[in-house]
Amino acid sequence: MFLVGSAANPTEALAALKGLKPDVLLIDHAVGPKTSFQFIADVRSTIGDCQAVLWVNELAEVECFRALQLGARGILKKTLPIATLMECLRAVGNGNIWIENSISHQVVGFLNRKQSPRLTAREREIVKYICKGLRNKQIAEALSITAGTVKVHLMHIFEKTGAKDRFELAVQGKKLLGPDFEAEILGRAGD
């Protein structure tokens, strides 16, 4: 393992990566979450076989999860010794995912909560209508609320479930709503 280059900013780094084609890329999270996450996505789409490791001071569990979703294969705190940094880079270079222990506990906790989101009764109703294919305006009319309120509820539902869009939410509907709601959805789908 050896260093093939460095860059002062993401734009410069992306240009250099195309020529250097490294196996592993260490990304300093000091540029901020939005910039580093966009850079991870750009690297993934431009140089698909380059594995990203995010080097952080601190990272909230939701940000850890987001970094992994975008394609990061390692998350490492800056306070760890050089030997640990090298261990991480080698592991990621060998195709593994490497997360420092205290961060991995956060991510595991976050993933466990994501597997069973706690939706309010109103959110469950909205998911039921999404599963039936209704639009925001139709849902608003059915529940006697405004379309804007439906939109706010959907935003919360997407955050809680991790669904990226209405289709994905509808696909998850059976798991989210359970057997009682499933029977109701299927029973009225043919009406």
Side-chain angles (χ1 to χ4, degrees), residues 125-136:
E125 287 178 306
I126 290 173
V127 171
K128 178 179 67 171
Y129 286 121
I130 293 291
C131 291
K132 291 181 179 183
L134 273 65
R135 308 302 305 159
N136 288 4

Side-chain angles (χ1 to χ4, degrees), residues 37 40 54 59 62-72 75:
F37 292 163
I40 291 169
L54 194 56
L59 198 62
V62 69
E63 290 175 326
C64 290
F65 185 69
R66 182 77 179 129
L68 293 170
Q69 280 183 315
L70 290 169
I75 301 174

